[in-house]
Amino acid sequence: DTGVSQDPRHKITKRGQNVTFRCDPISEHNRLYWYRQTLGQGPEFLTYFQNEAQLEKSRLLSDRFSAERPKGSFSTLEIQRTEQGDSAMYLCASSRGGGRGYEQFFGPGTRLTVL
Amino acid sequence: GESVGLHLPTLSVQEGDNSIINCAYSNSASDYFIWYKQESGKGPQFIIDIRSNMDKRQGQRVTVLLNKTVKHLSLQIAATQPGDSAVYFCAETTSGSRLTFGEGTQLTVNP
């Protein structure tokens, strides 16, 4: 069990560009979550998946954001036409889900800087 | 050392002292609570959890107390060490869906 991994760890992009982040959850974890964290604040929920189904999306997830988990394993988060306000740490977490455990384990995050 | 009131952005303690970090949660329907430790530039690290049908749970050097009447959560760290210096967040959830995080407390341990 290697823990949750995220790639890339850092991304610098220019305003208007598209970016995609990847998350690999802990194996056998059914649930996968995306959060966003800005400096000095706690993580804010974006969306989560149960296997390949996207069960909930936050109001924070504008139409420029899309997340997928096509095979119920890894997930991608894409931001189109990035804005400076998108600069943040994007965190992924996974859990067994349901009655098997609610503990969410986080990855190291992807730090996005939009110039 | 103890954070005053329901939220204090910073808490400074001496090495070896006990620390108490407090948190108020908002959703009376939350049934599961977690404390996370976050070091600079890293993702939150799971410390300890507690379900709503419990009022106390102990781990190694850490204890979480839950008071559902006033929707209050606390984290006690015994014999605080310099390696405990970090930001601590409480988080709540209902049935393992989204986590809602508190604002966090910066703990500084002075040698």
Side-chain angles (χ1 to χ4, degrees):
Chain A
D1 187 347
T2 57
V4 178
S5 61
Q6 293 187 245
D7 184 70
R9 295 292 307 278
H10 303 275
K11 179 69 177 179
I12 299 174
T13 191
K14 292 183 179 179
R15 189 176 53 188
Q17 298 294 305
N18 299 341
V19 295
T20 300
F21 309 142
R22 175 179 171 126
C23 171
D24 286 88
I26 294 171
S27 59
E28 299 181 354
H29 276 195
N30 296 324
R31 290 190 177 179
L32 186 149
Y33 309 78
W34 286 99
Y35 294 85
R36 181 172 70 185
Q37 185 176 27
T38 53
L39 198 62
Q41 302 294 318
E44 296 176 294
F45 171 79
L46 293 177
T47 188
Y48 90 97
F49 294 83
Q50 168 94 9
N51 300 313
E52 67 274 8
Q54 190 171 19
L55 295 190
E56 187 179 359
K57 292 193 293 186
S58 163
R59 292 189 309 272
L60 293 175
L61 213 67
S62 74
D63 56 5
R64 297 185 298 107
F65 288 69
S66 63
E68 296 183 342
R69 195 183 184 198
K71 298 182 180 179
S73 57
F74 73 92
S75 175
T76 57
L77 177 68
E78 180 183 16
I79 309 174
Q80 296 182 327
R81 305 181 302 281
T82 52
E83 302 173 355
Q84 288 184 327
D86 297 331
S87 295
M89 175 79 89
Y90 289 84
L91 294 162
C92 176
S94 70
S95 74
R96 289 186 173 85
R100 298 170 60 199
Y102 292 165
E103 302 95 324
Q104 293 187 24
F105 296 94
F106 282 82
T110 294
R111 180 164 295 284
L112 172 66
T113 302
V114 182
L115 302 176
Chain B
E2 180 174 353
S3 61
V4 177
L6 294 177
H7 172 70
L8 186 70
T10 61
L11 176 64
S12 184
V13 300
Q14 291 298 121
E15 182 177 359
D17 286 352
N18 296 333
S19 302
I20 300 175
I21 300 172
N22 295 306
C23 176
Y25 65 92
S26 56
N27 187 353
S28 56
S30 293
D31 58 4
Y32 181 69
F33 305 87
I34 309 175
W35 278 101
Y36 287 94
K37 171 187 179 183
Q38 188 172 28
E39 297 173 296
S40 181
K42 298 183 178 180
Q45 176 188 354
F46 177 94
I47 301 175
I48 191 168
D49 59 354
I50 188 167
R51 292 186 181 272
S52 59
N53 60 355
M54 303 171 68
D55 53 20
K56 181 179 180 179
R57 190 166 187 218
Q58 289 184 292
Q60 186 175 15
R61 284 201 306 119
V62 294
T63 300
V64 55
L65 299 178
L66 175 62
N67 185 332
K68 293 183 291 294
T69 303
V70 295
K71 291 192 286 188
H72 183 262
L73 202 63
S74 69
L75 176 69
Q76 301 176 2
I77 306 173
T80 316
Q81 302 169 359
D84 295 327
S85 293
V87 177
Y88 289 80
F89 291 100
C90 67
E92 58 180 305
T93 183
T94 304
S95 301
S97 60
R98 65 166 70 187
L99 287 174
T100 300
F101 284 79
E103 288 187 309
T105 297
Q106 172 72 58
L107 175 66
T108 301
V109 181
N110 302 306

